[in-house]
Amino acid sequence: WKYNREFSLIRRPIVQYIGADEEYYLTWGIRNMETAARNLIYLFESGRIKFGGKNVKKLLGENLKIRGHEFRKRCFDWFNKNEKLKVWEFEIKIEPNGHLKSKTSLGDIDILVFDEQNSVVYSIECKRTHQAKNAHEMKSEMDNYLGRAGNNGKIEKHVKRHEWLIENKKLVSDFIGWKDVIDIKSIILTSELIPLTYLKKDALPLPIFSYGELKRGGIELLSYYKITPMVR
């Protein structure tokens, strides 16, 4: 069973049939129509509408970008409320002409957080996610993040960025204006709790926490985790 099929009943609440008089009739019910409308709005808001065509894909991309910025802002505000932390409001670019200069482009750090008291720098990657609805979506989620059949998953680029930060602590220290030794921790922060964090907890090369877990556990939640080297 797969969620969000193009030809599912919830996507097609109007039924056409030929009556006894051999005329075409359309039948619909107000509850089914309302359910279908709610589902369509949810699919659009979460960016999960399939087979919508080029224009719909473009609109979905724009909406997801807006939602992503909103989630990053929510995370930034949470960290920024903690007076013991220093938080950079802008994204930190790691590239030849970026805030942190590297030979190749490694993307950017969504939120850079510095815990001066413990000399820990947190590289936070914000991911607006949705919860998997069934076993098929859970498997697809694991493949997307961890890779499958030799293909790199989404998490690979974040691991490479973390490794670069570890190898270039001096550049990071100079950027934040800190002379003492620092520890660097990279975190993936999701908007929803995703099953991957439980199904593959011991195999994750970087820790993944949900925003809800962060709010409940506080900054201390990010202090303890084990890095699992990726098999390359």
Side-chain angles (χ1 to χ4, degrees):
W1 181 77
K2 292 175 66 176
Y3 176 73
N4 192 21
R5 293 180 296 112
E6 182 185 10
F7 298 108
S8 62
L9 179 61
I10 198 172
R11 293 283 296 273
R12 296 171 179 270
I14 302 177
V15 178
Q16 177 180 285
Y17 67 96
I18 301 176
D21 54 1
E22 297 187 352
E23 294 289 336
Y24 283 94
Y25 292 89
L26 298 176
T27 299
W28 62 281
I30 183 122
R31 290 187 177 87
N32 283 355
M33 192 65 71
E34 182 180 2
T35 300
R38 290 178 181 273
N39 181 66
L40 187 62
I41 293 172
Y42 166 75
L43 293 176
F44 173 76
E45 294 290 347
S46 60
R48 304 176 74 183
I49 294 180
K50 297 180 179 178
F51 315 108
K54 182 174 64 175
N55 292 332
V56 172
K57 285 184 178 180
K58 181 180 178 182
L59 188 61
L60 285 175
E62 293 173 353
N63 181 63
L64 286 177
K65 188 175 181 180
I66 293 172
R67 297 290 182 178
H69 287 314
E70 290 175 348
F71 177 58
R72 181 199 174 276
K73 179 64 166 55
R74 196 186 337 156
C75 296
F76 168 81
D77 290 342
W78 187 89
F79 285 109
N80 201 40
K81 287 179 181 178
N82 191 328
E83 296 180 354
K84 296 180 181 180
L85 303 176
K86 181 178 180 180
V87 189
W88 279 258
E89 190 169 359
F90 52 88
E91 298 177 1
I92 309 300
K93 298 184 180 300
I94 305 177
E95 55 189 36
N97 295 315
H99 302 100
L100 296 173
K101 300 188 185 306
S102 61
K103 293 181 180 179
T104 59
S105 177
L106 294 171
D108 48 42
I109 301 171
D110 286 341
I111 303 176
L112 186 67
V113 179
F114 180 43
D115 180 352
E116 182 175 325
Q117 184 176 353
N118 298 299
S119 295
V120 179
V121 174
Y122 294 101
S123 169
I124 309 294
E125 176 69 22
C126 300
K127 292 285 187 187
R128 190 173 184 276
T129 55
H130 60 265
Q131 291 181 327
K133 300 293 185 183
N134 50 48
H136 178 268
E137 288 196 348
M138 291 180 189
K139 179 63 169 61
S140 297
E141 180 183 87
M142 286 189 289
D143 291 342
N144 288 335
Y145 273 87
L146 301 179
R148 181 182 183 185
N151 296 322
N152 293 333
K154 293 179 180 178
I155 206 168
E156 170 74 10
K157 63 179 181 180
H158 305 309
V159 172
K160 288 183 177 180
R161 185 184 305 140
H162 174 74
E163 292 173 346
W164 185 92
L165 291 170
I166 294 296
E167 294 170 0
N168 293 271
K169 285 187 176 182
K170 179 63 167 59
L171 288 177
V172 179
S173 295
D174 291 343
F175 178 79
I176 65 176
W178 192 250
K179 296 182 179 180
D180 293 339
V181 177
I182 59 172
D183 188 14
I184 296 178
K185 296 180 181 291
S186 296
I187 310 288
I188 296 176
L189 193 59
T190 62
S191 58
E192 303 287 344
L193 183 64
I194 57 178
L196 175 66
T197 57
Y198 296 101
L199 297 174
K200 287 289 185 177
K201 184 175 182 180
D202 295 333
L204 293 176
L206 290 179
I208 301 177
F209 297 108
S210 70
Y211 180 67
E213 289 176 307
L214 177 64
K215 290 203 303 181
R216 290 192 298 271
I219 191 66
E220 292 77 16
L221 177 72
L222 310 183
S223 301
Y224 307 98
Y225 69 79
K226 177 182 177 182
I227 292 291
T228 305
M230 289 194 74
V231 178
R232 301 186 186 279

